[in-house]
Amino acid sequence: MASTSEGNLHRQQHQHQHRGRIPTGRISGSGSGLPPPANDTTTTTTTATTASATLPSATDLPSSTFRTVSTIPSAPVPVPPFSVCGHEGGFVQPSSYLRSRPLSYPMPPSQPERAIDREERQGLRAIRNFLKVRTSYDVLPLSFRLIVFDTALTVKESLNILTQNGIVSAPLWDSKSSTFAGLLTTSDYINVIQYYFQNPAALDKIDQLRLDSLREVERALDVAPPETISIDPERPLYEACRRMLESRARRIPLVTNDSQTDRHLVLSVITQYRILKFVAVNVSDTQKLRKPLGEIRLGSYHDIATASMDTPVIDVIHILVQRSISSVPIVNSEGVVYNVFESVDVVTLIKGGVYDDLSLTVGEALKKRSPDFPGIYTCSLNDGLDTIFDTIRKSRVHRLVVVDDNFRLKGVLTLSDILQYILLEGEGDEC
């Protein structure tokens, strides 16, 4: 705040910010260098790697310097007071103050904006503008299938329906109140397993557990309850994405109101993958997002939960519940990525209501995967979102494992990370 005639405080602030730079990269073809997993487990692996670059050191945080310049007032000059009446006091002219000159510090020359920074900003703005003018309804394919579960169904019945139809989630419907009751996902089944592992005496009653009792299970485990967010299909797609980020949900049901019956009507469910693929297909400006992951620090790179091929499946389930995550990378003793164990793999093991396979090792469990499993996708710290959006446009991707040249684990990039980046990065500067 610059000094004025009524004050005597002067503050100067200098901010310095340095950012590391990494050259951009491209996603290459399939990773033939991936070592075969242990126990002869067959793994389809699609890779997106380039030559690795040295990860930049942590970015220096901006520093601020505050200086206070005090001044001494001169002797007051007596001024005859104006005539006053009542309780009002006389008006005294303010005395003059000695003003100190602010110290002059040379400002560092401003760095010219790089072309890659300018294009990244333009690409993000184009994606956000696209999401704001398209509705959630636009994401739906021309033909799709919708399965809605009544909350009076048992968990076992719902599990059989999911596996028979090859789906991993379904909206819930409360027939008593004729209202939307949330979304059933694989996380709910994993929570049920964790609950009965902690309460083995109640395991013989698991077949009678109904979907409307899932909230009691979540409360007992002190984990998040079933997802209950929804959005009207005519609302902007941008709004749906923001709601998903706020609730940490990976999918959101489209629920409208029937004007004739004045009741809820579940139209469909859209996922993060469906939204990002919609963007990749329709927004050519995704090719401007060339800044490497190592520079924008997109993804998780610290304290990553891992397991080995010999880890019991029940131990991996504990990790999934405790960390509220949907997958765990499978590595060897040197940190080389062999595979990824996902929450949907648990559903495959317990189909039919049989829970004996949870004692298997990860390597044995992965052999039970469906032949049409899409595979594991990897990328490097040199890859930008332009090539990752290309991969999303061509393949069904739910996450990417970040590896180095030797396929050693560096981090994990989820669709939630990508969605958060394209929605929030630099948004405040635009406003």
Side-chain angles (χ1 to χ4, degrees), residues 167-395:
I167 58 177
V168 296
S169 66
L172 298 176
W173 183 262
D174 188 341
S175 57
K176 296 179 180 179
S177 59
S178 295
T179 57
F180 168 71
L183 189 67
L184 180 71
T185 68
T186 54
S187 298
D188 297 307
Y189 294 106
I190 292 176
N191 289 335
V192 170
I193 294 173
Q194 179 80 347
Y195 173 78
Y196 283 102
F197 178 84
Q198 297 178 2
N199 302 273
L203 185 58
D204 56 344
K205 300 180 180 179
I206 191 171
D207 289 344
Q208 284 76 46
L209 181 67
R210 301 197 318 177
L211 295 179
D212 54 11
S213 301
L214 287 177
R215 291 189 179 275
E216 299 175 9
V217 172
E218 264 86 16
R219 280 195 294 266
L221 294 175
D222 193 23
V223 297
E227 301 168 1
T228 57
I229 64 167
S230 64
I231 192 168
D232 188 279
E234 296 298 333
R235 297 298 302 166
L237 187 55
Y238 179 85
E239 183 179 332
C241 294
R242 292 300 295 255
R243 289 195 186 183
M244 294 171 71
L245 288 183
E246 292 167 0
S247 64
R248 299 184 63 186
R250 301 180 184 92
R251 51 186 59 82
I252 184 170
L254 304 184
V255 181
T256 187
N257 196 64
D258 191 334
S259 58
Q260 296 181 350
T261 62
D262 195 26
R263 292 183 177 179
H264 289 167
L265 178 63
V266 181
L267 181 63
S268 186
V269 177
I270 56 175
T271 63
Q272 291 178 340
Y273 164 73
R274 177 68 63 181
I275 293 173
L276 293 177
K277 183 173 183 177
F278 186 62
V279 170
V281 170
N282 294 282
V283 183
S284 60
D285 289 84
T286 55
Q287 296 305 305
K288 294 182 178 180
L289 306 180
R290 298 185 294 108
K291 295 179 71 171
L293 299 179
E295 181 176 339
I296 60 180
R297 301 301 298 172
L298 185 60
S300 301
Y301 300 92
H302 303 287
D303 192 27
I304 300 174
T306 62
S308 70
M309 286 291 188
D310 297 326
T311 303
V313 170
I314 191 65
D315 291 349
V316 179
I317 291 176
H318 297 334
I319 297 174
L320 296 175
V321 174
Q322 292 168 3
R323 299 216 178 188
S324 297
I325 55 180
S326 60
S327 66
V328 174
I330 307 302
V331 300
N332 67 2
S333 58
E334 298 178 354
V336 176
V337 178
Y338 277 174
N339 215 309
V340 174
F341 190 88
E342 305 177 359
S343 57
V344 293
D345 293 318
V346 178
V347 175
T348 302
L349 294 177
I350 63 175
K351 63 181 180 181
V354 180
Y355 296 85
D356 297 338
D357 286 347
L358 298 178
S359 59
L360 297 176
T361 65
V362 167
E364 295 169 332
L366 293 180
K367 294 178 181 179
K368 297 180 177 292
R369 270 180 173 166
S370 172
D372 58 355
F373 180 73
I376 306 302
Y377 292 84
T378 65
C379 64
S380 78
L381 288 168
N382 292 330
D383 291 316
L385 284 180
D386 57 343
T387 48
I388 291 175
F389 266 109
D390 280 341
T391 305
I392 293 175
R393 179 170 52 86
K394 300 173 183 177
S395 308

Side-chain angles (χ1 to χ4, degrees), residues 126-195:
I127 293 174
R128 285 193 281 264
N129 290 340
F130 174 79
L131 294 174
K132 292 176 181 178
V133 298
R134 305 307 291 265
T135 68
S136 301
Y137 185 83
D138 295 331
V139 183
L140 297 180
L142 295 178
S143 176
F144 61 90
R145 175 179 51 184
L146 176 66
I147 297 177
V148 180
F149 288 154
D150 193 303
T151 54
L153 279 175
T154 65
V155 171
K156 181 179 179 179
E157 291 171 333
S158 66
L159 179 61
N160 291 336
I161 297 174
L162 285 183
T163 55
Q164 290 171 6
N165 290 274
I167 58 177
V168 296
S169 66
L172 298 176
W173 183 262
D174 188 341
S175 57
K176 296 179 180 179
S177 59
S178 295
T179 57
F180 168 71
L183 189 67
L184 180 71
T185 68
T186 54
S187 298
D188 297 307
Y189 294 106
I190 292 176
N191 289 335
V192 170
I193 294 173
Q194 179 80 347
Y195 173 78

